[in-house]
């Protein structure tokens, strides 16, 4: 796993994903999908869709959490 520390604020979205998404989809495309999503479940569906359209060959695991 890749680990890092980042400062989070209330309302931020945290995305945890497998290599099926990370590295295949550009950061600005990820941000656009998150910004267009109507909620966390929609965000997950959008991100998984981006991964498969980008040629994901393996499983794609995505979790989106909103910081309270």
């Amino acid at each position: 796993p890749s680990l890092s520390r980042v400062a989070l604020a209330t309302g931020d979205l945290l995305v945890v994903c497998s290599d099926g998404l990370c590295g295949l989809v550009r950061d600005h495309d990820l941000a656009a999908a998150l910004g267009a999503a109507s909620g966390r479940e929609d965000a997950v569906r959008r991100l998984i869709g981006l991964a498969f359209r980008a040629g994901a060959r393996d499983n794609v695991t995505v979790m989106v959490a909103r910081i309270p």
Side-chain angles (χ1 to χ4, degrees):
S2 297
L3 302 175
S4 61
R5 288 182 178 214
V6 296
L8 298 172
T10 299
D12 284 351
L13 291 176
L14 178 67
V15 177
V16 179
C17 64
S18 66
D19 61 353
L21 176 66
C22 181
L24 284 178
V25 180
R26 295 179 294 191
D27 289 348
H28 71 272
D29 292 329
L30 294 173
L34 290 170
S38 62
R40 290 177 293 154
E41 289 181 27
D42 184 39
V44 168
R45 282 191 288 274
R46 287 173 182 264
L47 295 176
I48 290 172
L50 284 174
F52 283 115
R53 285 192 295 281
R57 293 177 190 79
D58 200 344
N59 62 355
V60 179
T61 303
V62 179
M63 179 189 79
V64 176
R66 183 171 302 281
I67 304 304

